Amino acid sequence: MNQPVEPDAASTVLHETAPDGPRTLADVEERMNIPLVHAMETQRAIRRLRPDPVDMDLIVRCIELALKAPSGSNDQSWQFVVVTDADVKAKIGERYLKTWKPYAKRLAKQNPGD
């Protein structure tokens, strides 16, 4: 179960932790075997993830499932990039934060106290 984590002073986004437990494809698929209504009613955005590696079979399965998701105008223009190298992830994270900060400041001015 995801546990809320208090946001740090520089963040206005509530963070959650990823679920505990084994991360093999078989173990994750077993935890995913729940009624659709339960999944829809309890879905949350996850913004803080565990740092340990994810099994490549699980990554491939997630992409297979994502390919079945609806898309706007049924254009199916999906593109997936899988990054497993920690240094590359760190560089992507740095660029993301650099791009995000000006947008976050503008949002905070538009929605003070939100």
Side-chain angles (χ1 to χ4, degrees), residues 53-91:
V54 177
D55 183 72
M56 188 54 71
D57 289 338
L58 177 55
I59 293 170
V60 170
R61 182 66 178 137
C62 287
I63 291 172
E64 290 171 349
L65 292 170
L67 289 171
K68 298 183 182 314
S71 60
S73 301
N74 199 29
D75 69 355
Q76 303 171 342
S77 58
W78 300 285
Q79 295 182 17
F80 300 93
V81 176
V82 176
V83 180
T84 59
D85 182 275
D87 291 335
V88 174
K89 286 188 210 179
K91 288 176 184 174

Side-chain angles (χ1 to χ4, degrees), residues 18-109:
D20 292 327
R23 293 172 62 144
T24 65
L25 176 59
D27 291 317
V28 171
E29 282 189 329
E30 183 178 323
R31 289 195 302 270
M32 288 173 40
N33 190 16
I34 61 175
L36 176 61
V37 170
H38 177 71
M40 293 172 74
E41 289 176 340
T42 60
Q43 175 60 41
R44 296 183 180 181
I46 304 295
R47 292 179 176 79
R48 182 170 292 167
L49 305 175
R50 289 172 33 180
D52 49 323
V54 177
D55 183 72
M56 188 54 71
D57 289 338
L58 177 55
I59 293 170
V60 170
R61 182 66 178 137
C62 287
I63 291 172
E64 290 171 349
L65 292 170
L67 289 171
K68 298 183 182 314
S71 60
S73 301
N74 199 29
D75 69 355
Q76 303 171 342
S77 58
W78 300 285
Q79 295 182 17
F80 300 93
V81 176
V82 176
V83 180
T84 59
D85 182 275
D87 291 335
V88 174
K89 286 188 210 179
K91 288 176 184 174
I92 291 171
E94 289 170 12
R95 288 188 177 191
Y96 174 82
L97 282 175
K98 184 178 179 180
T99 304
W100 168 252
K101 285 181 181 181
Y103 177 72
K105 285 180 184 177
R106 191 172 79 235
L107 280 179
K109 287 179 185 176

